[in-house]
Amino acid sequence: MRQRHIFGTVFTLESIVAGGVFLVIVGVFARVLVRRRSETSDRPERPRLEAFYVGSLAAFAVFLVAWTAWRNHEEQHAADPAPLRVDVTGFQWCWTFGYPQSPAHRSVSGTCKGKDIPTLLVPTGRTVQSRGR
Protein backbone atom coordinates (compact mmCIF):
# COMPACT_ATOMS: atom_id res chain seq x y z
CA MET A 1 0.00 0.00 0.00
CA ARG A 2 2.00 2.89 -1.28
CA GLN A 3 -0.65 5.47 -0.36
CA ARG A 4 -0.58 4.47 3.28
CA HIS A 5 3.18 5.00 3.46
CA ILE A 6 3.11 8.34 1.64
CA PHE A 7 0.23 9.83 3.57
CA GLY A 8 1.49 8.31 6.82
CA THR A 9 4.62 10.45 6.48
CA VAL A 10 2.53 13.48 5.47
CA PHE A 11 0.34 13.07 8.55
CA THR A 12 3.37 12.61 10.82
CA LEU A 13 5.10 15.77 9.57
CA GLU A 14 1.91 17.84 9.71
CA SER A 15 1.20 16.60 13.25
CA ILE A 16 4.71 17.54 14.40
CA VAL A 17 4.44 21.01 12.87
CA ALA A 18 0.94 21.52 14.29
CA GLY A 19 2.14 20.43 17.73
CA GLY A 20 5.08 22.82 17.57
CA VAL A 21 2.88 25.73 16.49
CA PHE A 22 0.42 24.88 19.26
CA LEU A 23 3.19 24.90 21.90
CA VAL A 24 4.51 28.24 20.63
CA ILE A 25 1.01 29.76 20.74
CA VAL A 26 0.36 28.44 24.25
CA GLY A 27 3.76 29.75 25.39
CA VAL A 28 3.15 33.21 23.92
CA PHE A 29 -0.35 33.28 25.40
CA ALA A 30 0.95 32.32 28.88
CA ARG A 31 3.69 34.94 28.69
CA VAL A 32 1.20 37.62 27.69
CA LEU A 33 -1.10 36.70 30.57
CA VAL A 34 1.74 36.82 33.13
CA ARG A 35 3.13 40.12 31.83
CA ARG A 36 -0.31 41.68 31.54
CA ARG A 37 -1.04 41.07 35.21
CA SER A 38 2.33 42.34 36.38
CA GLU A 39 2.35 45.54 34.28
CA THR A 40 -0.38 48.09 34.13
CA SER A 41 1.36 50.57 31.83
CA ASP A 42 0.48 50.94 28.18
CA ARG A 43 2.94 49.26 25.86
CA PRO A 44 3.56 50.42 22.30
CA GLU A 45 2.52 48.19 19.44
CA ARG A 46 5.20 46.11 17.79
CA PRO A 47 4.46 45.90 14.07
CA ARG A 48 7.75 44.15 13.26
CA LEU A 49 7.07 41.37 15.76
CA GLU A 50 3.51 40.99 14.48
CA ALA A 51 4.75 40.89 10.87
CA PHE A 52 7.30 38.23 11.82
CA TYR A 53 4.58 36.18 13.51
CA VAL A 54 2.24 36.42 10.50
CA GLY A 55 5.08 35.68 8.08
CA SER A 56 6.13 32.60 10.08
CA LEU A 57 2.61 31.22 10.08
CA ALA A 58 2.24 31.90 6.36
CA ALA A 59 5.58 30.19 5.65
CA PHE A 60 4.49 27.10 7.62
CA ALA A 61 1.16 27.02 5.78
CA VAL A 62 2.81 27.35 2.36
CA PHE A 63 5.35 24.66 3.24
CA LEU A 64 2.69 22.20 4.43
CA VAL A 65 0.46 22.75 1.40
CA ALA A 66 3.38 22.47 -1.06
CA TRP A 67 4.83 19.37 0.64
CA THR A 68 1.43 17.63 0.76
CA ALA A 69 0.80 18.45 -2.91
CA TRP A 70 4.24 17.12 -3.85
CA ARG A 71 3.63 13.85 -1.98
CA ASN A 72 0.18 13.54 -3.55
CA HIS A 73 1.69 14.11 -7.01
CA GLU A 74 4.25 11.39 -6.28
CA GLU A 75 1.49 8.98 -5.28
CA GLN A 76 -0.62 9.71 -8.36
CA HIS A 77 2.17 8.79 -10.76
CA ALA A 78 2.96 5.52 -8.98
CA ALA A 79 0.34 3.51 -10.90
CA ASP A 80 1.49 1.30 -13.74
CA PRO A 81 -0.09 2.52 -17.00
CA ALA A 82 0.07 -0.92 -18.64
CA PRO A 83 -3.12 -2.94 -18.15
CA LEU A 84 -3.00 -6.25 -16.33
CA ARG A 85 -3.69 -9.07 -18.76
CA VAL A 86 -5.83 -12.00 -17.63
CA ASP A 87 -6.36 -15.02 -19.88
CA VAL A 88 -9.78 -16.58 -19.31
CA THR A 89 -10.30 -20.15 -20.49
CA GLY A 90 -13.76 -21.62 -20.23
CA PHE A 91 -14.50 -25.32 -20.13
CA GLN A 92 -17.56 -27.37 -19.26
CA TRP A 93 -19.38 -25.29 -16.60
CA CYS A 94 -16.16 -23.77 -15.19
CA TRP A 95 -13.20 -21.59 -16.10
CA THR A 96 -9.49 -20.99 -15.53
CA PHE A 97 -7.87 -17.59 -15.01
CA GLY A 98 -4.26 -17.21 -16.16
CA TYR A 99 -1.95 -14.32 -15.26
CA PRO A 100 0.77 -14.34 -17.95
CA GLN A 101 2.46 -11.17 -16.66
CA SER A 102 3.17 -12.62 -13.21
CA PRO A 103 6.72 -13.93 -12.71
CA ALA A 104 5.54 -17.54 -12.22
CA HIS A 105 2.76 -17.35 -14.87
CA ARG A 106 0.20 -18.21 -12.22
CA SER A 107 -3.25 -19.54 -12.95
CA VAL A 108 -6.37 -20.15 -10.90
CA SER A 109 -8.61 -23.06 -11.73
CA GLY A 110 -11.19 -25.28 -10.12
CA THR A 111 -13.72 -28.01 -10.73
CA CYS A 112 -16.74 -25.79 -9.92
CA LYS A 113 -18.08 -28.48 -7.62
CA GLY A 114 -18.84 -27.60 -4.03
CA LYS A 115 -16.44 -24.98 -2.77
CA ASP A 116 -13.83 -25.55 -5.49
CA ILE A 117 -14.73 -22.44 -7.52
CA PRO A 118 -11.98 -20.33 -9.14
CA THR A 119 -11.87 -16.65 -8.19
CA LEU A 120 -10.68 -13.87 -10.46
CA LEU A 121 -8.22 -11.65 -8.58
CA VAL A 122 -7.50 -8.14 -9.88
CA PRO A 123 -5.64 -5.24 -8.25
CA THR A 124 -7.54 -2.14 -7.19
CA GLY A 125 -7.14 0.93 -9.37
CA ARG A 126 -5.51 -0.84 -12.30
CA THR A 127 -6.91 -1.47 -15.77
CA VAL A 128 -7.55 -5.14 -16.55
CA GLN A 129 -7.54 -6.60 -20.05
CA SER A 130 -9.18 -10.01 -20.30
CA ARG A 131 -8.56 -12.34 -23.21
CA GLY A 132 -10.89 -15.31 -23.65
CA ARG A 133 -10.07 -18.59 -25.27
Side-chain angles (χ1 to χ4, degrees):
M1 279 198 147
R2 186 168 167 76
Q3 294 133 341
R4 182 176 183 176
H5 172 71
I6 288 173
F7 286 102
T9 58
V10 168
F11 179 75
T12 302
L13 178 70
E14 288 179 351
S15 297
I16 290 170
V17 170
V21 169
F22 177 75
L23 290 176
V24 167
I25 298 294
V26 167
V28 169
F29 185 68
R31 183 171 180 225
V32 166
L33 283 177
V34 169
R35 288 187 124 202
R36 183 85 153 157
R37 291 181 183 208
S38 66
E39 295 179 7
T40 57
S41 64
D42 290 330
R43 295 183 51 93
E45 292 184 10
R46 297 184 178 174
R48 294 177 110 182
L49 182 62
E50 291 172 5
F52 174 75
Y53 174 72
V54 169
S56 298
L57 288 179
F60 273 119
V62 166
F63 168 73
L64 289 176
V65 167
W67 194 69
T68 304
W70 172 68
R71 296 298 289 196
N72 187 32
H73 180 72
E74 181 180 300
E75 185 269 330
Q76 293 297 328
H77 290 288
D80 187 14
L84 173 70
R85 196 174 96 209
V86 178
D87 292 336
V88 181
T89 306
F91 55 94
Q92 188 174 9
W93 297 291
C94 206
W95 52 88
T96 299
F97 302 111
Y99 301 91
Q101 294 172 334
S102 70
H105 298 289
R106 297 188 183 268
S107 66
V108 178
S109 185
T111 61
C112 292
K113 294 179 183 174
K115 293 186 178 184
D116 189 20
I117 298 174
T119 304
L120 174 64
L121 301 174
V122 295
T124 303
R126 188 164 173 197
T127 305
V128 177
Q129 178 184 22
S130 62
R131 187 174 70 173
R133 292 196 241 173

